[in-house]
């Protein structure tokens, strides 16, 4: 938390955003806790879906922190038209598709949660180069292959409410769906499987292990392993497939970076888990639930 405050991002983990009024559906505010229930004054019910690999958090509506007023919670006509004509949609994974920051969860599982979470806050706020933060975080706990495997078995992905329905809607509208993450491919593969997203549509980092399962590091050749990597991945997609319009959906500074010439045309900030005000204010559209996006599509 200190990392976020020092970087000027001012995160809000739990909040009621009563001023938000959707054009499409009544506002629904998410109030979420992580696995350790660190957020205060809130109740969360964990609901298991039919798939054994997915857990979705259902949130209760209680009091929380105040946030500033945003002018971009209702999309402009141009933004809405652009969203509807997208050929491809790219999603961040941590705190967007999933409720948690994957590296923080793995670090907590390995006994180094607090120290790693502080680095994650700084990385997402954009106050340090992403590659520096990634390397520093991993060095704090050096996860072994056996630890990673145990983590994946004991901690199934927790998907954000509405993400499965949104992905289905996008596919029904003939939009290609990608996952672009600074997290780890080994942890994202199960998420992609649940959502029906092919592995070739994943851009993420790769943890490397030795013959005895010892941690060696990460693949520095992955574009998402460094600052500006998500933007690079989106530009590669655009060039390879010639998409006429492409949207990036996420919560952090690295997602915002993807909106650039030759990259994403549209940046939608999803603040249903983490609200990073500096990022949210620069978004083309700020949403607090995926229902808004689902119901905006024809």
């Amino acid at each position: 938390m200190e990392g976020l405050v020092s970087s000027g991002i001012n995160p809000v983990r739990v909040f009621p955003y009563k001023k938000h009024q959707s054009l499409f559906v009544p506002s629904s505010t998410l109030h979420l806790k992580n696995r350790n229930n660190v957020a205060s004054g809130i109740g969360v019910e964990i609901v298991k879906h039919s798939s054994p690999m997915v857990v979705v958090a259902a949130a209760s509506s209680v009091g929380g922190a105040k946030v500033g007023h945003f002018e971009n919670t209702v999309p402009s006509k141009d933004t809405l038209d652009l969203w509807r004509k997208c050929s491809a949609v790219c999603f961040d994974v941590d705190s967007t598709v999933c409720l948690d920051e994957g590296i923080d969860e793995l670090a907590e599982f390995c006994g180094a949660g607090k120290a790693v979470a502080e680095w994650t806050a700084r990385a997402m706020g954009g106050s340090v180069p992403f590659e520096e933060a990634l390397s520093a975080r991993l060095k704090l706990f050096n996860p072994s292959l056996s630890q990673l495997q145990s983590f994946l078995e004991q901690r199934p992905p927790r998907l954000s409410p509405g993400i499965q329905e949104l992905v289905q809607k996008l596919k029904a509208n003939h939009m290609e769906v990608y996952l672009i993450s600074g997290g780890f491919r080994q942890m994202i593969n199960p998420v992609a499987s649940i959502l029906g997203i092919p592995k070739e549509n994943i851009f993420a980092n790769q943890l490397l292990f030795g013959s005895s399962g010892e941690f060696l590091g990460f693949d520095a050749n992955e574009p998402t392993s460094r600052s500006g990597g998500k933007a690079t991945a989106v530009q590669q997609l655009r060039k390879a497939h010639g998409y006429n319009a492409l949207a990036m959906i996420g919560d952090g500074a690295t997602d915002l970076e993807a909106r650039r010439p030759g990259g994403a045309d549209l940046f939608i900030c999803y603040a249903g888990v983490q609200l990073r005000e500096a990022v949210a204010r620069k978004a083309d559209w700020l949403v607090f639930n995926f229902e808004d996006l689902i119901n905006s599509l024809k």
Side-chain angles (χ1 to χ4, degrees):
M1 187 61 70
E2 290 178 1
L4 279 168
V5 173
S6 65
S7 66
I9 293 300
N10 189 19
V12 179
R13 177 75 173 177
V14 182
F15 51 89
Y17 198 75
K18 295 181 180 179
K19 291 184 179 180
H20 169 55
Q21 182 62 46
S22 169
L23 281 173
F24 313 103
V25 293
S27 173
S28 62
T29 302
L30 301 182
H31 308 271
L32 304 173
K33 287 194 281 188
N34 65 14
R35 297 179 194 272
N36 295 321
N37 299 328
V38 296
S40 61
I42 181 172
V44 173
E45 176 187 3
I46 301 301
V47 181
K48 292 186 177 180
H49 281 208
S50 56
S51 169
M53 288 298 294
V54 58
V55 178
V56 177
S60 63
S61 296
V62 295
K66 293 182 179 180
V67 298
H69 177 67
F70 294 91
E71 300 294 337
N72 53 354
T73 56
V74 176
S76 67
K77 183 181 183 299
D78 288 344
T79 294
L80 194 57
D81 288 345
L82 186 58
W83 164 241
R84 287 172 172 166
K85 74 175 186 180
C86 281
S87 302
V89 179
C90 301
F91 287 91
D92 173 41
V93 176
D94 295 338
S95 294
T96 300
V97 169
C98 293
L99 296 174
D100 304 302
E101 292 288 332
I103 190 170
D104 294 356
E105 292 293 301
L106 179 59
E108 185 274 326
F109 185 82
C110 297
K114 182 179 179 181
V116 170
E118 291 175 351
W119 266 103
T120 296
R122 296 171 66 187
M124 292 306 297
S127 62
V128 294
F130 183 80
E131 58 270 30
E132 178 184 332
L134 182 61
S135 178
R137 286 179 288 175
L138 288 170
K139 287 178 180 178
L140 287 171
F141 65 108
N142 294 319
S144 67
L145 179 58
S146 62
Q147 285 177 313
L148 175 62
Q149 290 172 336
S150 295
F151 172 82
L152 293 174
E153 291 172 1
Q154 296 177 38
R155 301 282 184 91
R158 299 200 312 156
L159 300 186
S160 292
I163 187 60
Q164 290 174 289
E165 293 81 2
L166 176 55
V167 170
Q168 290 170 1
K169 184 77 170 182
L170 294 172
K171 290 180 178 180
N173 282 27
H174 308 291
M175 298 179 181
E176 195 72 22
V177 179
Y178 294 88
L179 300 179
I180 301 184
S181 175
F184 307 118
R185 189 174 296 271
Q186 291 97 327
M187 298 167 67
I188 293 171
N189 284 339
V191 177
S193 179
I194 293 166
L195 296 175
I197 297 172
K199 289 185 177 180
E200 57 267 27
N201 284 21
I202 302 172
F203 286 77
N205 294 312
Q206 184 83 12
L207 291 172
L208 302 177
F209 300 96
S211 58
S212 300
E214 74 276 16
F215 176 69
L216 297 179
F218 61 90
D219 186 354
N221 293 317
E222 294 283 359
T224 52
S225 68
R226 51 192 177 270
S227 294
K230 289 184 180 179
T232 299
V234 170
Q235 287 173 322
Q236 289 175 355
L237 284 174
R238 196 70 181 270
K239 185 176 181 179
H241 299 281
Y243 293 126
N244 65 320
L246 186 151
M248 181 75 203
I249 301 176
D251 71 297
T254 57
D255 307 307
L256 175 61
E257 287 177 344
R259 187 188 60 193
R260 61 172 60 178
D265 303 282
L266 185 68
F267 171 60
I268 299 173
C269 180
Y270 174 69
V273 179
Q274 291 273 14
L275 173 62
R276 308 180 198 277
E277 294 195 40
V279 175
R281 293 189 186 282
K282 296 178 182 178
D284 297 295
W285 188 1
L286 171 62
V287 299
F288 291 87
N289 61 78
F290 285 129
E291 274 191 288
D292 285 0
L293 300 182
I294 294 168
N295 289 283
S296 68
L297 295 171
K298 297 178 179 179

